[in-house]
Amino acid sequence: GAVVSQHPSRVICKSGTSVKIECRSLDFQATTMFWYRQFPKQSLMLMATSNEGSKATYEQGVEKDKFLINHASLTLSTLTVTSAHPEDSSFYICSARTGVAYGYTFGSGTRLTVV
Amino acid sequence: GQQLNQSPQSMFIQEGEDVSMNCTSSSIFNTWLWYKQEPGEGPVLLIALYKAGELTSNGRLTAQFGITRKDSFLNISASIPSDVGIYFCAGQKETSGSRLTFGEGTQLTVNP
């Protein structure tokens, strides 16, 4: 079945540095991928929709310059958290449409801790 | 913000009991999805519903797409300890493109 691989699973970075998270569709092509953010004991909040070959669509309140999204191929989308601060610490999850009747497959998530 | 109201927020049950949770919305969705999330992992799809009134089962899980298209429920029968996790409903609207809206989640605890 459709598999989405997300890497890294955990990352700790210093305040002010940038962190890149990768999301790959392993056995299918994904023209659209989604990036979510999840705080402890809360639901998933959509940050942006990543479209292959075009600019991402960001949700209201999400800073485009801080959360850079690149979807340069049909199997890879990346989220870069720039100039990270402790308040950016969170669980980031990507998902991709499998193209089969509204199928959405999720990655295993990335736990980002900014110190 | 969230547009799906999911309840209950948490449940503590004994192994073997049945569980029911639901999601409601003030607006219409044309797809309802139920996911389970375990600690430190991404959500895993349990059941997908595409038509109003549809009732679908996946093992001990049963979910229904409400007739009004504004609600859905998930039942788990004969719960077991590995059912522990957070269950999320998610809906997709015809007018929202491919974006999903998630419910707040139901934290399920099963005592052996």
Side-chain angles (χ1 to χ4, degrees):
Chain A
V3 177
V4 172
S5 175
Q6 188 171 341
H7 179 81
S9 57
R10 292 177 178 272
V11 58
I12 300 173
C13 71
K14 291 185 178 181
S15 191
T17 62
S18 295
V19 172
K20 181 185 285 188
I21 302 170
E22 294 187 347
C23 183
R24 294 181 184 274
S25 57
L26 296 187
D27 48 3
F28 66 100
Q29 294 184 332
T31 56
T32 303
M33 291 187 175
F34 306 89
W35 288 96
Y36 295 84
R37 183 173 183 175
Q38 185 179 32
F39 290 106
K41 299 188 184 299
Q42 293 189 23
S43 187
L44 285 74
M45 296 299 296
L46 181 64
M47 299 174 65
T49 301
S50 170
N51 303 295
E52 186 269 335
S54 64
K55 291 183 179 180
T57 304
Y58 289 81
E59 295 299 301
Q60 190 172 7
V62 177
E63 299 176 59
K64 303 179 182 182
D65 295 333
K66 181 165 190 60
F67 299 100
L68 300 179
I69 291 173
N70 184 278
H71 194 156
S73 79
L74 286 171
T75 59
L76 174 64
S77 175
T78 60
L79 168 68
T80 301
V81 182
T82 63
S83 186
H85 290 110
E87 57 265 31
D88 297 325
S89 299
S90 189
F91 193 54
Y92 293 87
I93 312 172
C94 68
S95 78
R97 292 197 66 179
T98 62
V100 178
Y102 301 107
Y104 299 82
T105 300
F106 285 80
S108 55
T110 297
R111 171 71 60 192
L112 170 63
T113 303
V114 184
V115 297
Chain B
Q2 295 296 340
Q3 299 177 54
L4 295 182
N5 300 308
Q6 186 172 348
S7 65
Q9 188 174 14
S10 62
M11 301 183 74
F12 297 84
I13 62 171
Q14 292 297 124
E15 183 176 359
E17 290 183 1
D18 297 342
V19 171
S20 184
M21 59 192 78
N22 69 85
C23 272
T24 61
S25 173
S26 58
S27 49
I28 290 174
F29 287 84
N30 61 359
T31 301
W32 284 93
L33 306 167
W34 283 93
Y35 287 89
K36 179 186 179 185
Q37 185 180 29
E38 298 190 14
E41 297 290 331
V44 174
L45 182 66
L46 299 174
I47 293 179
L49 302 161
Y50 306 114
K51 296 180 182 178
E54 180 180 356
L55 183 70
T56 298
S57 293
N58 177 7
R60 293 179 295 107
L61 278 61
T62 302
Q64 184 158 31
F65 192 141
I67 290 291
T68 65
R69 296 168 64 191
K70 295 182 180 180
D71 64 307
S72 177
F73 72 74
L74 173 70
N75 287 342
I76 305 173
S77 63
S79 59
I80 58 178
S82 60
D83 289 335
V84 166
I86 303 177
Y87 292 79
F88 290 101
C89 63
Q92 190 258 343
K93 293 182 182 179
E94 189 171 342
T95 57
S96 66
S98 52
R99 295 162 67 246
L100 288 181
T101 301
F102 279 82
E104 298 98 333
T106 296
Q107 171 72 63
L108 177 63
T109 302
V110 180
N111 296 313

